[in-house]
Amino acid sequence: IANKALSPGINDATTAVTAIDTLGAIFIRLGPRCISAPSRVVDDIARLIAPGPSYADLVDLSLAQLRRNACTDVGVSLHLLRMIARVIASTPLAARRHVLVASAERLRDSASSRVTLEADRAAITAAHGTVIAAVLRASLDGDPRTV
Protein backbone atom coordinates (compact mmCIF):
# COMPACT_ATOMS: atom_id res chain seq x y z
CA ILE A 1 0.00 0.00 0.00
CA ALA A 2 2.81 2.41 0.90
CA ASN A 3 4.63 1.71 -2.36
CA LYS A 4 1.51 2.27 -4.42
CA ALA A 5 0.72 5.45 -2.49
CA LEU A 6 4.21 6.79 -3.31
CA SER A 7 3.97 6.01 -7.02
CA PRO A 8 4.14 9.10 -9.26
CA GLY A 9 0.58 8.64 -10.50
CA ILE A 10 -0.90 8.62 -6.99
CA ASN A 11 1.62 10.51 -4.81
CA ASP A 12 -0.35 10.15 -1.56
CA ALA A 13 2.10 10.63 1.31
CA THR A 14 -0.62 10.44 3.97
CA THR A 15 -1.58 6.91 2.94
CA ALA A 16 2.10 5.96 2.78
CA VAL A 17 2.67 7.23 6.33
CA THR A 18 -0.36 5.30 7.62
CA ALA A 19 0.91 2.13 5.92
CA ILE A 20 4.39 2.69 7.40
CA ASP A 21 2.84 2.93 10.88
CA THR A 22 1.03 -0.36 10.28
CA LEU A 23 4.23 -1.97 9.04
CA GLY A 24 6.01 -0.73 12.17
CA ALA A 25 3.34 -2.32 14.39
CA ILE A 26 3.82 -5.61 12.54
CA PHE A 27 7.60 -5.49 13.03
CA ILE A 28 7.18 -4.68 16.73
CA ARG A 29 5.07 -7.83 17.15
CA LEU A 30 7.48 -9.86 15.03
CA GLY A 31 10.61 -8.67 16.91
CA PRO A 32 10.66 -11.23 19.74
CA ARG A 33 9.06 -14.10 17.82
CA CYS A 34 10.86 -17.16 16.53
CA ILE A 35 10.19 -17.16 12.80
CA SER A 36 12.79 -19.39 11.24
CA ALA A 37 12.66 -22.72 13.10
CA PRO A 38 13.15 -25.50 10.51
CA SER A 39 10.97 -28.02 12.38
CA ARG A 40 8.08 -28.25 14.80
CA VAL A 41 6.97 -30.88 17.29
CA VAL A 42 3.30 -31.79 16.96
CA ASP A 43 1.81 -34.54 19.12
CA ASP A 44 5.33 -35.52 20.24
CA ILE A 45 6.35 -36.10 16.62
CA ALA A 46 9.05 -33.95 15.06
CA ARG A 47 7.79 -32.53 11.78
CA LEU A 48 10.12 -31.17 9.16
CA ILE A 49 9.02 -27.81 7.85
CA ALA A 50 10.88 -26.06 5.09
CA PRO A 51 12.45 -22.93 6.50
CA GLY A 52 10.69 -19.71 5.66
CA PRO A 53 12.17 -16.30 5.23
CA SER A 54 14.50 -14.98 7.89
CA TYR A 55 13.89 -11.75 9.80
CA ALA A 56 16.42 -10.03 7.52
CA ASP A 57 14.54 -11.32 4.46
CA LEU A 58 11.26 -9.95 5.83
CA VAL A 59 12.77 -6.55 6.59
CA ASP A 60 14.37 -6.36 3.16
CA LEU A 61 11.19 -7.50 1.42
CA SER A 62 9.17 -4.91 3.31
CA LEU A 63 11.53 -1.96 3.25
CA ALA A 64 13.77 -2.17 0.17
CA GLN A 65 11.23 -1.08 -2.43
CA LEU A 66 9.64 1.31 0.03
CA ARG A 67 13.05 2.90 0.62
CA ARG A 68 13.50 3.41 -3.11
CA ASN A 69 10.14 5.16 -3.39
CA ALA A 70 10.32 7.07 -0.10
CA CYS A 71 13.74 8.58 -0.67
CA THR A 72 12.23 11.17 -3.03
CA ASP A 73 9.84 12.43 -0.31
CA VAL A 74 11.63 13.91 2.69
CA GLY A 75 8.60 13.69 4.99
CA VAL A 76 8.02 10.02 4.23
CA SER A 77 11.73 9.25 4.60
CA LEU A 78 11.76 10.92 8.01
CA HIS A 79 8.67 9.00 9.08
CA LEU A 80 10.19 5.72 7.90
CA LEU A 81 13.40 6.39 9.86
CA ARG A 82 11.40 7.22 12.98
CA MET A 83 9.35 4.05 12.54
CA ILE A 84 12.55 2.01 12.37
CA ALA A 85 13.73 3.68 15.60
CA ARG A 86 10.44 2.72 17.33
CA VAL A 87 10.79 -0.87 16.15
CA ILE A 88 14.39 -1.04 17.35
CA ALA A 89 13.31 0.20 20.78
CA SER A 90 10.86 -2.72 21.00
CA THR A 91 13.09 -5.41 19.49
CA PRO A 92 14.81 -7.56 22.13
CA LEU A 93 17.19 -9.38 19.80
CA ALA A 94 20.46 -7.60 19.01
CA ALA A 95 20.91 -9.27 15.63
CA ARG A 96 17.48 -8.05 14.54
CA ARG A 97 18.28 -4.54 15.68
CA HIS A 98 21.39 -4.66 13.49
CA VAL A 99 19.26 -5.66 10.49
CA LEU A 100 17.03 -2.64 11.13
CA VAL A 101 20.03 -0.31 11.52
CA ALA A 102 21.42 -1.47 8.19
CA SER A 103 18.09 -0.74 6.55
CA ALA A 104 18.00 2.72 8.18
CA GLU A 105 21.52 3.43 6.91
CA ARG A 106 20.53 2.51 3.35
CA LEU A 107 17.50 4.79 3.64
CA ARG A 108 19.62 7.65 5.04
CA ASP A 109 22.12 7.29 2.20
CA SER A 110 19.43 7.07 -0.50
CA ALA A 111 17.40 9.98 0.82
CA SER A 112 20.44 12.19 1.48
CA SER A 113 21.67 11.70 -2.06
CA ARG A 114 18.30 12.74 -3.52
CA VAL A 115 17.53 15.90 -1.58
CA THR A 116 18.85 19.27 -2.67
CA LEU A 117 18.33 21.37 0.47
CA GLU A 118 20.90 21.16 3.23
CA ALA A 119 18.12 21.54 5.83
CA ASP A 120 16.45 18.40 4.46
CA ARG A 121 19.74 16.53 4.59
CA ALA A 122 20.21 17.65 8.19
CA ALA A 123 16.68 16.46 9.09
CA ILE A 124 17.40 13.06 7.56
CA THR A 125 20.67 12.84 9.50
CA ALA A 126 18.85 13.79 12.71
CA ALA A 127 16.15 11.17 12.12
CA HIS A 128 18.88 8.60 11.51
CA GLY A 129 20.31 9.74 14.83
CA THR A 130 17.09 8.59 16.53
CA VAL A 131 17.78 5.13 15.11
CA ILE A 132 21.28 5.11 16.57
CA ALA A 133 19.98 6.42 19.91
CA ALA A 134 17.37 3.63 20.00
CA VAL A 135 20.11 1.03 19.43
CA LEU A 136 22.25 2.50 22.18
CA ARG A 137 19.31 2.55 24.64
CA ALA A 138 18.41 -1.03 23.74
CA SER A 139 22.05 -2.09 24.21
CA LEU A 140 22.21 -0.40 27.60
CA ASP A 141 18.95 -2.08 28.62
CA GLY A 142 20.96 -5.20 28.02
CA ASP A 143 19.45 -8.08 26.13
CA PRO A 144 22.37 -9.26 24.00
CA ARG A 145 20.58 -12.29 22.57
CA THR A 146 20.92 -12.97 18.88
CA VAL A 147 18.62 -14.59 16.33
Side-chain angles (χ1 to χ4, degrees), residues 26-87:
I26 290 168
F27 276 120
I28 286 170
R29 294 203 53 189
L30 187 60
R33 296 183 67 170
C34 177
I35 57 172
S36 59
S39 64
R40 305 275 193 282
V41 176
V42 178
D43 297 328
D44 295 327
I45 299 171
R47 310 276 183 185
L48 178 63
I49 298 174
S54 68
Y55 185 81
D57 293 335
L58 293 172
V59 168
D60 190 54
L61 178 67
S62 301
L63 299 182
Q65 185 63 38
L66 184 54
R67 177 186 69 245
R68 290 181 199 104
N69 291 328
C71 70
T72 60
D73 186 311
V74 174
V76 175
S77 294
L78 294 173
H79 196 76
L80 189 53
L81 284 166
R82 291 176 189 133
M83 178 274 289
I84 292 170
R86 285 191 308 275
V87 173

Side-chain angles (χ1 to χ4, degrees), residues 31 92-98 143-147:
L93 304 174
R96 291 183 179 182
R97 291 192 301 263
H98 292 297
D143 192 347
R145 294 179 291 163
T146 58
V147 176

Side-chain angles (χ1 to χ4, degrees), residues 63-137:
L63 299 182
Q65 185 63 38
L66 184 54
R67 177 186 69 245
R68 290 181 199 104
N69 291 328
C71 70
T72 60
D73 186 311
V74 174
V76 175
S77 294
L78 294 173
H79 196 76
L80 189 53
L81 284 166
R82 291 176 189 133
M83 178 274 289
I84 292 170
R86 285 191 308 275
V87 173
I88 287 171
S90 299
T91 300
L93 304 174
R96 291 183 179 182
R97 291 192 301 263
H98 292 297
V99 167
L100 293 162
V101 168
S103 185
E105 288 172 351
R106 287 189 294 273
L107 174 60
R108 179 204 55 204
D109 295 345
S110 295
S112 292
S113 70
R114 298 261 180 121
V115 298
T116 55
L117 294 175
E118 185 57 39
D120 289 341
R121 223 174 273 113
I124 290 165
T125 300
H128 181 264
T130 65
V131 170
I132 301 307
V135 170
L136 292 174
R137 277 191 305 276

